[in-house]
Amino acid sequence: MASPVLPSRMRFGEFEADLASGELRKDGLSGKILLQEQPLAILRALVARPGEMVSREELVQLLWNGNTNVDFDPSLNKAVNRLRESLGDSAEAPRYIETLSRRGYRFIAKVELPQMPNGGRSSPRAWQKVMAWSVASAACVLAAVLVFNKIRGHPELPAITPVPFTDYPGVEFCPTFSPDGSQIAFEWGGGPESESKGFDLYVKVIGGENLLRLTRHPSERICPAWSPDGKHIAFNRISGADTGLYVVPALGGQERKLRSIHARHSSSAGISWSPDGKSIAFVDFLPPKDNFRINLLSLETLESKQISHPAECINGYFPAFSHSGEQLAYICLLNPLDKDYSIYTVPSSGGPPTLVTRFGTGWGWPFGIVWTGDDKRLVLSRSRFGFDNELDEITLADGSLRKLSFGQDAFSLAISAKGDKLTFVAGSLYHIDIWRKDLEHPEAPAVKLISSTRGQDVPQYSPDGKHIVFTSDRGGAWEIWMSDADGTHLVKLSDVRSSGAVYARWSPDSQEIAFDSRHSGHAEVYIVDISERMPRRVVTNLPNMSIPSWSHDGKWLYFQSTAAHTDVERIFRCPATGGDAVGLSAKPGSYAWESYDGETLYFANLGEKLSVHMVSPQPGGTESLLEGMPALHDSSLWTVVPRGIYFVPADAPKSVRYFDFATKQVHQIFEVNKGFQDSLSVSPDGRWILYTQADPDSANIMLVENFR
């Protein structure tokens, strides 16, 4: 099915639609709704034939163009559901999109066509004739192409077989090619035993085995970019007070710091050196909105300037110069809860950004982009759902995405200056286990309580102390699991409708669990009874909701959301049975915990310094900083107990400390030899604390030669 030429703007129901940009505006609201690529394509197809059925087969052909690697039925259902969510529509009582069971869909709202130049409106009958003619013509062309291909046969592209470039123990990451394509620089921790200390920068010749170590300052991240003349390697070091941009001779020598930056994690570590050698693109965390932004550092003046970002771009990541040096591409986060992203390009000389495409990642992340040698395409590393990473090729002319036949579990990637070699990281970066520490005897060694060859994360004790709930992909997909308090007798609680599940929290009676699921393609909250094991979705008036927690009377759910399609995540509450939600926090917030007396709601403020704020659980309360409480290392690494807070501090990321509400004093509890992963939980009797740590698996750098 080919999409006919549609008027750019039209109205239906409460909405005014711009089908060129994918923007919807709803009556009475100043904000705009941004449709992703597939929901937008479906909307275009439906409004082109209002009142008529568009078959599922037509939509499948439109969205995937014959790609047989797609599970069509659930994927199409998911795309239609996302469109319905954006329109506030439902399959049960449709106002816009009617489902014709197992056959297709029909747009049932009246479509108002654009004004004609003389002030009148175009004729619906005439417009539909044009649409019908366009579709019929496209169908004829498609049929001819199919017949021709059947006769001629499809030309087979040569098979691409990546080969290992490194096979060292532990994790190698952030590869970059030398200008002549003969060497690759990358970060490596030196193996599992030393990796907990951090990563250093290494260089290896393609086809050789000798390894040159360039730095001796183990860091959380150290992502490099080679200078165009091949003499130096710049790198972005993330390492506490030493975080910044550095440069070191490619043959080894003294490193030199170019400037300090405020990067905090791996997604802000990627850098790109311009082909003319004059500037380096990097990511910095900047006021006034405390967003990640792409900046250019002049190597002549060491002054930096921010490039142009679109208004809807919350955070910018992974800058990449084109081979010609004329364009700079980067990834934008559009919606943090639904993990909606876009790719933009800007002229290197300055100018407005141009949208290339939009894509989603479930609750995972993208891991970088590179330009192909002809600068006509991009290769993207992203997850489709969680940690199921793949490589996609994006055509700049139309923004279409095509999954590459190789690149399963592919993360950080790079391409040579000639575009004939591609490298990426493949494998499992780490797996996560749940550990238990005795708070009465902190000197005693911790016990690995729940472990497997897959991941398990975000544990929480039940209020009665009998069970632990956690998330794990031990069954393939990330699901909610429950065990006894000693880690035995595991039971899965989520199902196929609510997989992709994380951040589970117990109800006060220990009988129900609220959790965050991304199965539908955006953030939703489900509740499951531990006896019935049949999750039900919490329905509210907001487009997304995630990271839930309960009030101590069991009547309310607290959660974070981006209301009215803004870019600010705030804390809301709604009835635990579902219903309209109301905002509680004014500042960006996450991970809400109610005090044990029910009088205060604590949450992590998502500013540059992750401070703990407090607000009334009732709407309209005053918000304030929790005085005396140190900044957090991560918004998830804290938990509220009756008399204080256990937390991991920003200045000591391998320590657990305790903040006393009454005295405002902070006490050291214990330290670990590796960093924490996600979430803390203390047993109801105060005896035990659960935490998670990531053990590195094996992720090696792969090399593709003769890349087209």
Side-chain angles (χ1 to χ4, degrees):
M1 172 183 175
S3 295
V5 179
L6 293 174
S8 175
R9 294 184 180 274
M10 60 180 59
R11 286 191 61 85
F12 48 82
E14 304 172 293
F15 293 95
E16 179 181 338
D18 185 335
L19 297 183
S21 66
E23 297 176 355
L24 298 177
R25 292 188 183 274
K26 190 173 182 181
D27 290 345
L29 296 177
S30 59
K32 56 189 176 182
I33 303 169
L34 296 175
L35 295 179
Q36 285 191 308
E37 175 189 357
Q38 290 186 344
L40 175 59
I42 293 172
L43 178 61
R44 286 171 175 162
L46 294 176
V47 299
R49 293 156 54 185
E52 299 179 18
M53 184 188 78
V54 179
S55 71
R56 294 179 64 88
E57 291 75 14
E58 289 177 289
L59 292 175
V60 165
Q61 178 64 32
L62 172 66
L63 297 183
W64 291 286
N65 197 26
N67 183 352
T68 58
N69 293 324
V70 178
D71 190 358
F72 296 128
D73 283 340
S75 298
L76 178 58
N77 294 342
K78 177 179 173 182
V80 173
N81 287 337
R82 297 196 73 170
L83 176 57
R84 281 187 168 130
E85 290 283 348
S86 298
L87 297 173
D89 202 13
S90 70
E92 295 77 15
R95 293 184 299 155
Y96 300 106
I97 302 172
E98 179 184 31
T99 300
L100 302 175
S101 181
R102 294 187 297 277
R103 291 182 294 159
Y105 302 91
R106 178 163 52 206
F107 199 80
I108 59 176
K110 180 181 178 182
V111 177
E112 298 182 20
L113 305 182
Q115 293 283 346
M116 298 293 288
N118 61 5
R121 291 187 180 275
S122 58
S123 162
R125 183 177 298 274
W127 181 55
Q128 290 181 14
K129 285 183 178 179
V130 173
M131 295 304 100
W133 180 87
S134 300
V135 173
S137 300
C140 291
V141 172
L142 177 62
V145 170
L146 292 176
V147 171
F148 177 74
N149 283 339
K150 185 174 181 180
I151 296 173
R152 185 192 62 173
H154 289 287
E156 294 294 330
L157 295 174
I160 294 179
T161 304
V163 297
F165 174 73
T166 62
D167 57 359
Y168 308 129
V171 173
E172 300 94 66
F173 210 68
C174 284
T176 183
F177 281 98
S178 61
D180 62 4
S182 66
Q183 303 175 75
I184 296 177
F186 57 93
E187 65 170 4
W188 179 44
E193 295 301 320
S194 58
E195 205 148 86
S196 61
K197 300 176 183 178
F199 292 87
D200 272 302
L201 185 61
Y202 294 82
V203 173
K204 181 174 179 284
V205 175
I206 295 175
E209 291 302 323
N210 292 332
L211 193 63
L212 173 64
R213 182 174 181 176
L214 294 183
T215 67
R216 298 185 180 275
H217 185 307
S219 306
E220 181 181 342
R221 282 266 82 87
I222 184 166
C223 286
W226 219 299
S227 67
D229 63 8
K231 296 180 180 179
H232 294 87
I233 298 175
F235 57 90
N236 188 351
R237 170 177 285 143
I238 300 179
S239 181
D242 295 326
T243 297
L245 283 176
Y246 293 77
V247 67
V248 65
L251 297 178
Q254 186 69 32
E255 62 183 55
R256 177 169 62 94
K257 188 172 185 178
L258 300 177
R259 60 160 292 156
S260 296
I261 57 175
H262 300 90
R264 287 208 308 240
H265 47 69
S266 58
S267 61
S268 58
I271 62 174
S272 183
W273 204 317
S274 64
D276 63 9
K278 294 181 179 180
S279 59
I280 295 174
F282 67 98
V283 180
D284 208 354
F285 192 74
L286 299 172
K289 292 186 177 181
D290 292 335
N291 301 118
F292 290 104
R293 287 289 180 257
I294 309 296
N295 294 264
L296 293 180
L297 174 70
S298 168
L299 294 175
E300 295 175 350
T301 65
L302 294 185
E303 295 179 350
S304 62
K305 63 178 181 179
Q306 186 180 141
I307 69 166
S308 178
H309 296 74
E312 62 267 24
C313 180
I314 300 174
N315 289 320
Y317 305 112
F318 301 109
F321 280 105
S322 63
H323 294 275
S324 69
E326 296 177 357
Q327 297 284 321
L328 178 70
Y330 59 97
I331 296 176
C332 271
L333 171 64
L334 301 179
N335 186 318
L337 294 186
D338 287 349
K339 289 296 192 293
D340 289 339
Y341 291 89
S342 61
I343 297 176
Y344 285 87
T345 60
V346 295
S348 302
S349 58
T354 299
L355 175 66
V356 175
T357 192
R358 293 187 174 95
F359 63 93
T361 61
W363 52 269
W365 302 271
F367 278 88
I369 50 175
V370 295
W371 296 76
T372 58
D374 58 8
D375 283 347
K376 294 181 179 180
R377 290 162 291 143
L378 293 166
V379 180
L380 164 70
S381 166
R382 63 148 172 170
S383 68
R384 293 297 300 267
F385 187 70
F387 293 116
D388 53 339
N389 274 58
E390 67 180 37
L391 294 180
D392 292 318
E393 187 179 72
I394 303 165
T395 302
L396 269 71
D398 59 8
S400 60
L401 279 77
R402 182 180 69 90
K403 181 180 177 180
L404 295 181
S405 60
F406 62 95
Q408 183 178 359
D409 297 328
F411 294 90
S412 178
L413 71 165
I415 199 165
S416 62
K418 294 181 180 179
D420 60 338
K421 296 185 178 73
L422 180 74
T423 184
F424 59 90
V425 176
S428 175
L429 299 183
Y430 52 78
H431 74 273
I432 307 165
D433 294 319
I434 297 173
W435 293 73
R436 186 181 71 182
K437 186 79 170 178
D438 189 342
L439 292 174
E440 292 185 2
H441 302 283
E443 73 283 354
V447 174
K448 187 183 290 187
L449 189 67
I450 302 175
S451 178
S452 72
T453 58
R454 305 300 291 267
Q456 34 277 315
D457 202 2
V458 200
Q460 191 195 25
Y461 278 110
S462 60
D464 62 11
K466 295 180 180 179
H467 296 101
I468 296 170
V469 66
F470 61 98
T471 184
S472 176
D473 67 340
R474 60 181 58 223
W478 284 89
E479 307 278 8
I480 300 300
W481 292 75
M482 180 180 69
S483 74
D484 290 347
D486 62 359
T488 61
H489 301 109
L490 272 62
V491 175
K492 184 164 71 74
L493 298 178
S494 54
D495 60 13
V496 67
R497 296 178 299 110
S498 59
S499 60
V502 288
Y503 302 118
R505 294 290 182 262
W506 288 95
S507 63
D509 62 2
S510 299
Q511 297 304 303
E512 293 184 308
I513 294 167
F515 62 91
D516 170 348
S517 169
R518 311 299 171 98
H519 182 77
S520 68
H522 68 280
E524 297 177 323
V525 168
Y526 283 77
I527 293 177
V528 61
D529 185 288
I530 64 173
S531 299
E532 297 175 355
R533 302 176 192 171
M534 296 180 62
R536 64 184 187 278
R537 186 168 69 90
V538 178
V539 179
T540 185
N541 58 319
L542 296 179
N544 49 50
M545 52 192 306
S546 68
I547 312 183
S549 65
W550 297 75
S551 63
H552 280 83
D553 59 11
K555 296 180 179 179
W556 303 97
L557 284 178
Y558 305 112
F559 59 93
Q560 70 183 69
S561 180
T562 52
H565 304 279
T566 66
D567 60 358
V568 178
E569 300 170 68
R570 296 192 292 122
I571 302 298
F572 293 79
R573 82 168 192 183
C574 74
T577 54
D580 285 354
V582 294
L584 299 179
S585 72
K587 294 184 179 297
S590 184
Y591 293 90
W593 293 99
E594 189 184 84
S595 62
Y596 277 70
D597 61 9
E599 297 296 320
T600 305
L601 188 68
Y602 300 99
F603 66 93
N605 174 248
L606 300 176
E608 181 175 0
K609 294 183 178 179
L610 292 172
S611 55
V612 174
H613 282 226
M614 46 197 289
V615 70
S616 170
Q618 305 299 321
T622 302
E623 183 178 319
S624 62
L625 176 71
L626 178 56
E627 295 292 341
M629 173 74 188
L632 303 171
H633 173 63
D634 184 87
S635 57
S636 70
L637 289 172
W638 63 297
T639 188
V640 176
V641 294
R643 295 184 174 85
I645 294 175
Y646 286 92
F647 69 100
V648 176
D651 60 355
K654 296 181 181 180
S655 298
V656 169
R657 294 178 182 173
Y658 177 74
F659 173 77
D660 190 296
F661 287 141
T663 66
K664 307 293 184 184
Q665 298 296 310
V666 176
H667 307 280
Q668 170 75 8
I669 304 301
F670 66 92
E671 290 191 359
V672 294
N673 61 349
K674 292 180 292 188
F676 297 92
Q677 182 63 27
D678 203 344
S679 194
L680 302 175
S681 181
V682 175
S683 59
D685 60 6
R687 173 72 184 273
W688 308 101
I689 186 170
L690 299 176
Y691 61 92
T692 57
Q693 286 187 307
D695 290 321
D697 279 354
S698 179
N700 301 126
I701 297 173
M702 306 298 291
L703 177 64
V704 174
E705 299 203 64
N706 301 314
F707 181 70
R708 55 180 177 80

